[in-house]
């Protein structure tokens, strides 16, 4: 099964006998609210126009629990997550396609959660809504209740201790911008820097200028240059487990399984007892 789908492939599948459930997860990481500007409103963007049949999913409320000791976007309560997915029409026997406004981070978070909790067929629209050439709808569909029941996997999830260990025994990739990894700036969390041993791998470098993923072969070459070889255990983190999901998706496109540290830097840096590395050197 592929992890991404093109807009033309999606248009074709929507006319088939078992069309995918469409989830619109428009969201943006923004510090605008702290500056007094209105925060990004994904629901309003959805209401202004979405792919026909798509159901809006709220990342902050349905794909994450409230911010706290485990970071800014900790895992959602799985009972509540399952109920939200069923309301959106998600069933185990029907494919799911997720999209966002084009950055891909939010869609990847939904993709990762659904895959980790056992859905067998989830893909992300490559390039997001900007890649869609069909009509848009302003109607709000009322889907038939789905039957999806989350069953989280034993693998694929890291906690803080697991991430620290993996940085020593495998490859732990930091998906944030390089300047945040190096500790030169930190606009959100308590302190800048990175988990000792982690390798800087900004997820923005996994896509081309159009926001679509690089070809699988190019992604494999990129990750190989970062130390990922056959059989290497790989983990990913970011600020709060959203852009890291996009890196996990890029790794999946390249055919490389990876675990996600959902708490990420927002959890790690909140604990003063945990070590912090700065500069370009992983250590």
């Amino acid at each position: 099964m592929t992890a991404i789908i093109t807009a033309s492939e999606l248009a074709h599948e929507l006319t088939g006998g078992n069309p995918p459930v469409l989830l619109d997860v428009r969201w943006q990481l923004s510090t605008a609210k702290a500056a007094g500007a209105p925060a990004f409103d994904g629901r309003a963007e959805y209401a202004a126009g979405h792919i026909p049949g798509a159901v809006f999913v709220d990342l902050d409320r349905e794909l994450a629990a409230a911010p706290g000791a485990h970071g800014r976007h900790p895992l959602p309560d799985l009972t509540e997550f399952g109920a939200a997915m069923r309301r959106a029409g998600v069933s185990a026997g029907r494919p799911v396609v997720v999209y966002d406004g084009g950055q891909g981070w939010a869609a990847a978070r939904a993709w990762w959660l659904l895959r980790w909790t056992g859905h067998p067929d989830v893909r992300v629209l490559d390039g997001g809504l900007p890649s869609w050439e069909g009509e848009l709808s302003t109607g709000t569909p009322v889907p038939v209740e789905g039957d999806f029941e989350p069953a989280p996997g034993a693998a694929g999830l890291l906690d803080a201790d697991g991430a620290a260990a993996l940085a020593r025994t495998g490859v732990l990739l930091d998906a944030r911008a390089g300047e945040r990894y190096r500790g030169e700036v930190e606009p959100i969390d308590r302190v800048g820097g990175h988990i000792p041993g982690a390798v800087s791998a900004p997820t923005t470098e996994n896509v081309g200028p159009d926001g679509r993923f690089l070809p699988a072969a190019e992604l494999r070459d990129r990750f190989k240059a970062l130390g990922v070889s056959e059989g290497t255990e790989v983990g990913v983190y970011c600020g709060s487990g959203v852009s890291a999901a996009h890196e996990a998706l890029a790794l999946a496109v390249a055919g490389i399984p990876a675990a996600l540290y959902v708490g990420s830097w927002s959890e790690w840096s909140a604990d003063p007892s945990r070590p912090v590395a700065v500069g370009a050197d992983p250590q």
Side-chain angles (χ1 to χ4, degrees), residues 4 103 105 126 173-176 201-216 218-223 226 236 243-254:
I4 56 176
Q103 188 180 44
W105 295 5
D126 196 16
L173 300 175
D174 185 319
R176 297 172 301 160
T203 199
T204 52
E205 296 178 15
N206 294 320
V207 298
D210 59 0
R212 301 182 193 187
F213 282 105
L214 300 175
E218 290 184 28
L219 289 171
R220 283 191 290 272
D221 287 343
R222 179 183 188 229
F223 293 122
L226 292 170
V236 190
S243 65
H246 188 262
E247 185 114 296
L249 177 58
L251 285 154
V253 171

Side-chain angles (χ1 to χ4, degrees), residues 182-195:
R182 295 188 295 272
E184 297 165 358
V185 299
E186 183 42 66
I188 306 173
D189 294 313
R190 184 184 68 85
V191 65
H194 58 270
I195 297 173

Side-chain angles (χ1 to χ4, degrees), residues 129-156:
L129 188 61
S131 71
W132 178 254
E133 296 180 353
E135 64 175 4
L136 297 179
S137 170
T138 56
T140 303
V142 181
V144 175
E145 182 91 359
D147 63 14
F148 179 67
E149 293 287 349

Side-chain angles (χ1 to χ4, degrees), residues 102-130:
Q103 188 180 44
W105 295 5
R109 171 75 176 218
W111 165 84
W112 182 85
L113 270 170
L114 281 165
R115 293 291 294 142
W116 178 66
T117 54
H119 197 287
D121 190 350
V122 190
R123 288 163 293 171
V124 170
L125 176 59
D126 196 16
L129 188 61

Side-chain angles (χ1 to χ4, degrees), residues 42 61 65 70 73 77 82 88 91 94 98-99 117 125-126 131 136-137 160 170 175 181 218 220 222 262:
R61 293 177 175 84
H70 293 295
H73 289 103
D77 177 272
S91 292
R94 188 175 172 191
V98 191
Y99 71 89
T117 54
L125 176 59
D126 196 16
S131 71
L136 297 179
S137 170
Y181 170 89
E218 290 184 28
R220 283 191 290 272
R222 179 183 188 229
V262 174

Side-chain angles (χ1 to χ4, degrees), residues 19 26 31 160 277 281:
R26 272 178 276 182
T31 56
D281 190 326

